[in-house]
Amino acid sequence: MESFALHSLSTTPSFSHHPSRLSLLRRISSRSPPPTISLPSLRSHSVQPLTFPLLKPIPRLSTTRITAAPRDDIPPPPSPPSEPPSSQPPQGAKLLPLILSLSVGLILRFAVPLPEGLTPQGWQLLSIFLSTIAGLVLSPLPVGAWAFMGLTASIVTKTLSFSAAFSAFTSEVIWLIVISFFFARGFVKTGLGDRIATYFVKWLGKSTLGLSYGLTISEALIAPAMPSTTARAGGIFLPIIKSLSLSAGSKPGDSSSRKLGSYLIQNQFQCAGNSSALFLTAAAQNLLCLKLAEELGVVIANPWVSWFKAASLPAIISLLCTPLILYKLYPPETKDTPEAPGIAALKLKEMGPVTKNEWIMVGTMLLAVTLWICGESLGIPSVVAAMIGLSILLLLGVLNWDDCLSEKSAWDTLAWFAVLVGMAGQLTNLGVVSWMSDCVAKVLQSLSLSWPAAFGLLQAAYFFIHYLFASQTGHVGALFSAFLAMNIAAGVPGVLAALALAYNTNLFGALTHYSSGQAAVYYGAGYVDLPDVFKIGFVMATINAIIWGVVGTFWWKFLGLY
């Protein structure tokens, strides 16, 4: 109110620039002395005299606004305190990352001679693609905006036609990814994911180790229908973990974090990669990997079942071992959590009975997963099964169209995934990928490496180079096609190489605090120190590599992948 009153007084119009009105005022003021009135102080409750001319009413002048002329003996009313200008974040591209990203492509295009065996069109597209990838890593603009810039550059330079540049926007895999994001929103909106996780806490949560297994199993069950590890982490599991930790006196940012919260965070973080690797639809990057493999001629029949069969044994063993290994390597101070089942039971009571929308969500996801498994024999592609499921959710009101429109991550993914897939496909068509793979194959042959040795070397390089990336999908877009081509050139069976690279794409998501979306979510909770993230990340990456390498060697041989 104080600032409003001051503003009202300070904005009273002056007559210093209106001579005609001022003369009228003087004639009126000369007829009678101006009375005075007292007003309360604007800054205290005491009354201070403030005098100014008060005009007598003037008949028939009510439509004319007349105020007193300023007098020398009256101090001007104080001006309202000036507010500092609001600081806005800088707009547009970040200058240094922009220069570096553009330099990568420009140097390749104009400073490096055209290699023998490549066309100028292919070399130019490679330079645009590398600048796009550099921008995804350095982030001069948001990912979708930068990908659109690369797409525009490919058209403006006449490297690609408009139809060729936008060809991937009709990809079935891209739209399956988009619809999967809407399914994830349905899990969060209905509360179904939260309910499933809470039930497992109630059943297995009497000890810290049992609690970790309950959370791990619940994520593995939710994963095939919720294809975003970030959404699972931030929307379901982190709130549950924080609630349980605080109830046990484990607070973020101080010494009590090691009681319970640190262990549960690390366990969920490390297990998320194996949950995502277990199912094709558990992470968006899985679908992108298969699409890029198709561009290189590696087609996996009945992909949902084939993916699950190949991943099942090593992933399940890793999921069962991870909580126990972390329990020894990074032990919680609190070993027993007898209050956790009670907390979960109370939360379930507050949730009430399973709602109609939750039952619809369960039925829809069972239908979608069934069609993903049996769709090939029924002639129903995976994307059509997803479309049927989304249509059911929209028709029955579980989701509305505003929910879909507000799912920004889905539309952003559509934009930049499609750009990367389109460019990668055109690089293959123009012979760039085969040229690169032939160059690597010659180097590997000069080292006299067998294909198993080359396979292990390339997989390790693909895995640990992720220390340079802050996005799993960005890593896939930048390197998956090239590494798959190298594997094939070295004699590695195509399906084996494609699946192994795709599984690694999920497993390296727990290397660092920036290696994936869920990494940022869990680290941001404040329960884990940064050195512990790097240490546990490297140790568990090594353990996962051993489990997947040893178990996978025998299991994949049994399945006939090599």
Side-chain angles (χ1 to χ4, degrees):
M1 290 300 294
E2 179 184 19
S3 61
F4 177 78
L6 287 172
H7 179 72
S8 301
L9 286 174
S10 64
T11 54
T12 304
S14 170
F15 280 88
S16 58
H17 300 291
H18 300 281
S20 59
R21 297 183 182 180
L22 185 59
S23 60
L24 172 62
L25 177 63
R26 286 171 178 168
R27 288 199 301 271
I28 296 172
S29 301
S30 63
R31 296 178 184 176
S32 60
T36 63
I37 64 171
S38 295
L39 291 178
S41 169
L42 296 173
R43 297 194 180 273
S44 68
H45 296 290
S46 61
V47 178
Q48 302 291 336
L50 175 66
T51 62
F52 61 92
L54 183 64
L55 301 182
K56 293 181 179 180
I58 301 175
R60 304 183 185 279
L61 291 178
S62 58
T63 57
T64 304
R65 186 176 184 182
I66 302 177
T67 58
R71 287 175 46 171
D72 296 336
D73 59 333
I74 302 175
S79 301
S82 59
E83 297 181 358
S86 58
S87 58
Q88 294 183 350
Q91 302 295 316
K94 302 172 188 173
L95 187 58
L96 182 59
L98 175 65
I99 293 172
L100 293 175
S101 300
L102 293 176
S103 298
V104 171
L106 291 174
I107 291 172
L108 181 71
R109 176 65 180 86
F110 297 106
V112 179
L114 177 66
E116 185 179 352
L118 282 183
T119 64
Q121 182 187 8
W123 192 242
Q124 185 159 288
L125 181 59
L126 179 62
S127 66
I128 295 172
F129 180 74
L130 290 180
S131 276
T132 304
I133 296 303
L136 296 183
V137 176
L138 300 174
S139 299
L141 286 172
V143 172
W146 186 252
F148 184 79
M149 297 272 293
L151 185 72
T152 303
S154 68
I155 298 173
V156 170
T157 58
K158 300 187 184 303
T159 307
L160 295 177
S161 64
F162 186 89
S163 58
F166 279 86
S167 60
F169 281 84
T170 60
S171 167
E172 292 184 2
V173 171
I174 300 294
W175 282 100
L176 178 57
I177 294 171
V178 172
I179 296 173
S180 297
F181 276 102
F182 301 150
F183 286 161
R185 189 175 186 88
F187 261 82
V188 175
K189 182 179 179 180
T190 61
L192 179 60
D194 198 12
R195 185 184 295 274
I196 292 173
T198 305
Y199 267 115
F200 276 96
V201 172
K202 178 183 176 182
W203 295 332
L204 302 175
K206 290 183 179 181
S207 68
T208 301
L209 187 60
L211 188 59
S212 64
Y213 274 108
L215 293 170
T216 298
I217 295 170
S218 60
E219 176 160 13
L221 291 177
I222 294 171
M226 196 171 184
S228 169
T229 49
T230 307
R232 296 198 300 268
I236 296 177
F237 292 100
L238 181 60
I240 292 175
I241 291 173
K242 288 180 70 174
S243 175
L244 293 169
S245 300
L246 291 173
S247 68
S250 180
K251 300 177 182 178
D254 66 19
S255 58
S256 66
S257 62
R258 289 298 301 268
K259 285 185 176 180
L260 183 64
S262 296
Y263 168 74
L264 291 180
I265 289 287
Q266 282 280 25
N267 177 74
Q268 207 65 24
F269 180 31
Q270 294 298 330
C271 287
N274 284 291
S275 297
S276 297
L278 184 56
F279 301 100
L280 174 62
T281 51
Q285 64 265 14
N286 296 349
L287 300 160
L288 179 60
C289 289
L290 291 198
K291 179 60 180 177
L292 293 175
E294 282 185 25
E295 301 287 348
L296 292 176
V298 180
V299 180
I300 299 175
N302 199 357
W304 204 96
V305 175
S306 299
W307 178 291
F308 176 74
K309 282 167 57 178
S312 57
L313 191 58
I316 290 173
I317 291 176
S318 289
L319 284 171
L320 293 176
C321 290
T322 297
L324 185 59
I325 292 171
L326 284 173
Y327 195 77
K328 301 296 183 182
L329 291 178
Y330 197 70
E333 295 175 1
T334 301
K335 308 296 183 182
D336 297 315
T337 53
E339 70 283 352
I343 295 173
L346 181 61
K347 185 174 181 180
L348 289 169
K349 185 177 180 181
E350 291 174 354
M351 289 180 176
V354 180
T355 64
K356 182 188 74 171
N357 283 350
E358 287 179 270
W359 282 120
I360 295 173
M361 194 73 206
V362 169
T364 302
M365 294 318 304
L366 288 176
L367 174 63
V369 171
T370 301
L371 291 177
W372 286 334
I373 295 172
C374 307
E376 187 168 300
S377 59
L378 299 174
I380 300 176
S382 296
V383 68
V384 176
M387 292 170 66
I388 292 171
L390 178 60
S391 298
I392 293 172
L393 297 179
L394 290 171
L395 284 171
L396 299 180
V398 176
L399 292 175
N400 56 53
W401 192 239
D402 284 338
D403 292 325
C404 298
L405 292 177
S406 61
E407 192 63 38
K408 294 181 180 180
S409 56
W411 303 113
D412 186 53
T413 301
L414 168 66
W416 74 276
F417 265 27
V419 171
L420 290 181
V421 170
M423 284 189 180
Q426 293 302 320
L427 286 172
T428 301
N429 295 338
L430 294 172
V432 176
V433 175
S434 59
W435 169 79
M436 292 175 62
S437 62
D438 289 341
C439 293
V440 174
K442 291 177 183 178
V443 174
L444 294 176
Q445 288 172 1
S446 67
L447 298 175
S448 300
L449 293 178
S450 61
W451 77 257
F455 173 73
L457 179 64
L458 290 171
Q459 293 292 332
Y462 179 78
F463 189 99
F464 286 107
I465 204 173
H466 191 66
Y467 277 109
L468 303 177
F469 284 85
S471 165
Q472 290 166 288
T473 47
H475 189 146
V476 171
L479 298 177
F480 184 89
S481 295
F483 270 82
L484 179 57
M486 295 176 200
N487 275 271
I488 294 173
V492 182
V495 173
L496 174 64
L499 288 176
L501 289 170
Y503 297 149
N504 273 328
T505 300
N506 293 287
L507 298 177
F508 59 45
L511 270 178
T512 67
H513 66 298
Y514 58 84
S515 56
S516 59
Q518 71 268 24
V521 171
Y522 286 129
Y523 175 70
Y527 278 97
V528 183
D529 295 329
L530 192 56
D532 290 334
V533 174
F534 277 87
K535 181 177 69 175
I536 297 298
F538 180 81
V539 171
M540 290 307 302
T542 304
I543 292 173
N544 276 320
I546 294 172
I547 293 174
W548 281 78
V550 174
V551 177
T553 297
F554 296 101
W555 181 239
W556 296 334
K557 178 68 174 178
F558 173 77
L559 294 177
L561 294 183
Y562 68 94

